[in-house]
Amino acid sequence: MSDKIKVATTSLAGCFGCHMSILDIDERLLELIKLVEFERSPINDIKTIEKADVGIIEGGVANTDNVETLKAFRANCTTLVSFGACAVTGGIPAMRNQFSLKDCLEESYIDGVGVENPHIPDDPEIPLLLNKVHPIHEVVKVDHFLPGCPPSADTIWTFLTELIEGKPISFPYTQIHYD
Ligand code: SF4
């Protein structure tokens, strides 16, 4: 049986930029895959979540599918990580929160410049949008927050190695300095 740490990741209302930043750890990826095994993740395209040691969530919570996915991660992951600005604060997707959902839908599908065949999509396959976009800690308990848009590769590396080694998470100033 593998003694590697099991890691699951997903993107809710995010742009996958945070996931791309994981790839920026470059050759350290070879070191990482000696330590971790990926469960559900865009990296292996597994769509269901099994028990995992660490769940890493990119993106805010914008629709009913996001809520379901997030709750499944919380139920199956020992440690849950809010990964990147959109998960931590709602980020870019939460910019719509200053308008009503009705106004957002009408601007996007009816009144916006260049809209053809104006109608608001209502296919039952499409997850229902929430009235507001939420940071993930407003929906489930979060164990660690890793801010940044995206968090830098070095910040991710520090976080993952310290977490895997069971050390207190501590960053040098340069890794949590954003301007
Ligand atoms: Fe994309 Fe930035 Fe949001 Fe990450 S925090 S999902 S990079 S917009």
Side-chain angles (χ1 to χ4, degrees):
M1 194 169 139
S2 168
D3 58 359
K4 290 181 176 180
I5 300 283
K6 290 188 176 175
V7 176
T9 79
T10 194
S11 178
L12 305 177
C15 74
F16 283 94
C18 291
H19 273 77
M20 294 306 290
S21 201
I22 296 176
L23 301 182
D24 286 341
I25 65 177
D26 297 333
E27 68 275 9
R28 290 171 291 186
L29 278 170
L30 298 174
E31 214 172 311
L32 184 65
I33 57 175
K34 289 182 193 157
L35 302 171
V36 310
E37 179 182 330
F38 282 99
E39 292 288 330
R40 172 179 172 155
S41 171
I43 291 165
N44 50 24
D45 208 25
I46 294 174
K47 302 279 198 285
T48 54
I49 171 109
E50 304 289 336
K51 291 286 177 200
D53 300 298
V54 181
I56 297 178
I57 309 285
E58 169 191 308
V61 185
N63 62 40
T64 50
D65 183 66
N66 294 161
V67 174
E68 200 179 305
T69 302
L70 180 57
K71 287 186 172 174
F73 265 71
R74 181 64 280 181
N76 285 284
C77 299
T78 309
T79 298
L80 199 67
V81 182
S82 183
F83 182 44
C86 293
V88 173
T89 69
I92 301 288
M95 289 175 73
R96 78 163 161 91
N97 288 357
Q98 59 190 306
F99 306 100
S100 71
L101 179 58
K102 180 172 177 289
D103 284 351
C104 291
L105 288 169
E106 287 180 354
E107 178 64 20
S108 300
Y109 294 107
I110 295 177
D111 301 326
V113 175
V115 171
E116 293 183 15
N117 182 24
H119 71 289
I120 296 176
D122 62 354
D123 189 300
E125 291 274 321
I126 302 173
L128 287 174
L129 289 171
L130 305 181
N131 284 334
K132 302 286 180 195
V133 177
H134 299 268
I136 71 166
H137 65 271
E138 286 186 2
V139 180
V140 296
K141 176 179 174 291
V142 166
D143 301 298
H144 293 282
F145 295 85
L146 197 55
C149 179
S152 73
D154 287 341
T155 306
I156 294 168
W157 179 251
T158 300
F159 176 77
L160 286 176
T161 50
E162 290 183 340
L163 188 71
I164 289 167
E165 290 167 10
K167 293 180 181 168
I169 310 295
S170 168
F171 300 100
Y173 176 70
T174 50
Q175 291 182 13
I176 49 169
H177 179 263
Y178 298 107
D179 58 4

